[in-house]
Amino acid sequence: SFGLMDKAYFVGRGEILSWVNATLQLSLNKAASGAVQCQLLDMVHPGLVPMHKVNFDAKTEYDMIQNYKILQDVFNKLRIGKNIEVNKLVKGRPLDNLEFLQWLKRYCDSVNGGIMNENYNPVERRSKGCKERSHKGPNKSSKSLQANRLSSANSADGGALNSNIDLASPIGKVCNAVNEEHYMEQIQQLSEKIADLKVSVDNTEKERDFYFSKLRDIEILCQRPELEHLPMTKGIRKILYAADAKDSSLPEANEIITRSPGMFSVSDEAE
């Protein structure tokens, strides 16, 4: 368990991704599928993670959830009490994924003093896991489901019409051109949404960093020798270092201050 003010939570998204990519020899822009998280634990606890079950090609929420189930099983074996908020992580929410990766990096650094196993080959471990997955054969039900979805999508976009048209004919070429234009328009709309979301995420990260810096300033101020024993300072620290995010620590902080009617005695003596 690492507190909110632990230095791990001040590591930025770029630094975290650089660490993940360098450690596992990857080139990711995001890590929300749960596969990377599984391999990080495999790195610090070799052989404990069933890598043949980890899906590095996970794109759907269902596949991502399976990866996080594997991760939760490993947490249970290691008796790690960290709560994995799967529903938030598979949504790809930047702040939730960043916080979890910050915690995971802090955990990896705490194992063996952060000294990595020189014999660990991340690329080989991934490829070995993929080979074992492929040897088990494809999932027929999944492929059948995917085929049905594609068939439905084609029907909705005019696939039924195209089945009666010779695609080499002028009419077929026109249909292809219309479909292509439709898809290009969808891609353009999605690209604009992604750009807007990126701006929103950047603004949110800046706002978070701003408030973290304010909290850090308050913490440094509370550590001054002439202030750290004051009831007000104790009340502030009670709020800063509260581990439970669900319950407010304000009532306890108020009680600390209320029980000390002479809280300003030091200032009075100074005057």
Side-chain angles (χ1 to χ4, degrees), residues 149-206:
R149 287 177 177 172
L150 288 174
S151 177
S152 299
N154 288 336
S155 297
D157 289 333
L161 176 61
N162 288 339
S163 64
N164 297 323
I165 296 175
D166 182 2
L167 297 181
S169 68
I171 297 178
K173 291 180 180 178
V174 170
C175 289
N176 280 339
V178 171
N179 285 337
E180 184 177 354
E181 184 179 354
H182 172 68
Y183 292 138
M184 290 300 294
E185 183 179 350
Q186 285 187 326
I187 292 172
Q188 179 64 29
Q189 291 175 355
L190 291 174
S191 298
E192 292 175 359
K193 288 182 180 180
I194 291 172
D196 291 339
L197 287 173
K198 188 177 184 305
V199 172
S200 177
V201 169
D202 290 341
N203 290 336
T204 303
E205 288 183 349
K206 289 178 182 178

Side-chain angles (χ1 to χ4, degrees), residues 37-270:
Q37 291 80 347
C38 286
Q39 187 165 16
L40 286 173
L41 275 188
D42 181 67
M43 176 185 64
V44 295
H45 299 289
L48 194 59
V49 180
M51 291 295 290
H52 64 280
K53 294 183 179 180
V54 179
N55 186 355
F56 280 88
D57 297 322
K59 296 293 189 298
T60 66
E61 288 190 12
Y62 174 82
D63 290 335
M64 294 179 186
I65 289 173
Q66 302 312 306
N67 284 340
Y68 281 110
K69 282 184 178 180
I70 296 171
L71 189 66
Q72 185 64 69
D73 289 340
V74 176
F75 273 25
N76 294 339
K77 291 177 182 178
L78 295 171
R79 297 183 179 179
I80 297 175
K82 173 69 174 175
N83 180 36
I84 303 178
E85 297 184 352
V86 179
N87 291 334
K88 292 182 179 180
L89 295 174
V90 297
K91 297 293 183 183
R93 296 176 180 176
L95 291 181
D96 294 320
N97 280 276
L98 174 61
E99 181 181 347
F100 188 65
L101 283 174
Q102 288 171 331
W103 179 91
L104 196 54
K105 182 181 186 301
R106 178 71 171 81
Y107 175 79
C108 292
D109 290 342
S110 70
V111 179
N112 298 326
I115 300 175
M116 302 304 173
N117 183 0
E118 295 181 356
N119 297 323
Y120 185 81
N121 187 328
V123 177
E124 182 180 348
R125 285 291 291 163
R126 284 196 299 274
S127 61
K128 182 179 180 181
C130 290
K131 286 179 181 178
E132 291 183 15
R133 280 173 61 88
S134 62
H135 287 164
K136 292 180 180 294
N139 189 325
K140 295 182 179 179
S141 61
S142 297
K143 292 188 73 175
S144 177
L145 179 61
Q146 185 177 13
N148 289 336
R149 287 177 177 172
L150 288 174
S151 177
S152 299
N154 288 336
S155 297
D157 289 333
L161 176 61
N162 288 339
S163 64
N164 297 323
I165 296 175
D166 182 2
L167 297 181
S169 68
I171 297 178
K173 291 180 180 178
V174 170
C175 289
N176 280 339
V178 171
N179 285 337
E180 184 177 354
E181 184 179 354
H182 172 68
Y183 292 138
M184 290 300 294
E185 183 179 350
Q186 285 187 326
I187 292 172
Q188 179 64 29
Q189 291 175 355
L190 291 174
S191 298
E192 292 175 359
K193 288 182 180 180
I194 291 172
D196 291 339
L197 287 173
K198 188 177 184 305
V199 172
S200 177
V201 169
D202 290 341
N203 290 336
T204 303
E205 288 183 349
K206 289 178 182 178
E207 184 176 0
R208 183 209 59 188
D209 293 342
F210 172 78
Y211 286 112
F212 267 136
S213 66
K214 293 296 181 185
L215 289 171
R216 179 57 179 158
D217 290 343
I218 293 172
E219 182 186 38
I220 293 173
L221 187 63
C222 290
Q223 291 172 349
R224 291 183 58 175
E226 66 271 24
L227 299 177
E228 62 180 358
H229 66 283
L230 293 178
M232 179 64 76
T233 304
K234 293 178 181 178
I236 293 173
R237 285 205 301 266
K238 185 69 177 177
I239 296 173
L240 279 178
Y241 299 139
D244 193 345
K246 295 181 180 179
D247 298 326
S248 173
S249 300
L250 184 58
E252 294 182 39
N254 278 327
E255 187 178 353
I256 293 173
I257 297 172
T258 303
R259 289 203 310 262
S260 306
M263 58 176 292
F264 296 107
S265 60
V266 174
S267 300
D268 294 340
E269 292 175 4

